[in-house]
Amino acid sequence: MKRKDELPECPVATTVDLIGSKWKLLILRNLMARPWRFNELRKSLDGISQKVLTDSLRSMEADGIVIRTAYAEVPPRVEYSLSELGENLRPIVDSMEAFGNNYKKLSANKREFQ
């Protein structure tokens, strides 16, 4: 987790710093549904590279948003899930979903009247 002095003064900028990338938001969206394994996430996020997914998950884990659980099995199994802090981001993603749906509806209506 970042120290207070490492974070922007503006709370909106802090949130953007934590989840502002395209991939982090889509990872967050997926993890809100259920825990995921790495390869499941990679296959579900069309266009993401293994490196970007790895870096994003590590960053989100370091920030306390994601929990990485490694199971002592053969072959090894690792799952990613939202932490309690990550769950607190649910209203933000829900609002983004509602806005996106509304925008798509308005955009479709606008095209009908042109």
Side-chain angles (χ1 to χ4, degrees):
M1 214 172 227
K2 294 181 180 176
R3 295 186 327 264
K4 185 177 180 180
D5 64 331
E6 296 176 311
L7 297 170
E9 191 171 321
C10 172
V12 173
T14 297
T15 304
V16 169
D17 186 53
L18 294 173
I19 62 165
S21 79
K22 167 188 174 180
W23 295 117
K24 284 183 179 181
L25 281 167
L26 295 176
I27 292 165
L28 189 60
R29 176 205 61 194
N30 283 13
L31 293 177
M32 287 184 173
R34 63 177 172 85
W36 290 69
R37 295 177 71 172
F38 183 88
N39 283 329
E40 287 181 307
L41 276 170
R42 191 165 52 99
K43 289 175 186 172
S44 73
L45 300 169
D46 191 37
I48 195 169
S49 69
Q50 183 169 336
K51 180 184 180 346
V52 169
L53 179 56
T54 298
D55 291 348
S56 296
L57 286 168
R58 284 182 182 159
S59 172
M60 293 170 80
E61 183 183 10
D63 291 335
I65 296 168
V66 168
I67 297 171
R68 180 183 185 273
T69 306
Y71 296 92
E73 300 175 350
V74 177
R77 177 171 58 109
V78 175
E79 285 186 347
Y80 295 89
S81 59
L82 288 182
S83 67
E84 187 176 335
L85 181 62
E87 282 291 339
N88 287 324
L89 294 166
R90 188 176 294 275
I92 295 169
V93 177
D94 288 346
S95 292
M96 292 176 77
E97 179 184 22
F99 176 85
N101 284 331
N102 191 45
Y103 184 85
K104 288 165 96 176
K105 186 169 62 173
L106 291 172
S107 178
N109 289 341
K110 184 177 180 181
R111 283 192 300 265
E112 286 178 18
F113 294 110
Q114 289 181 345

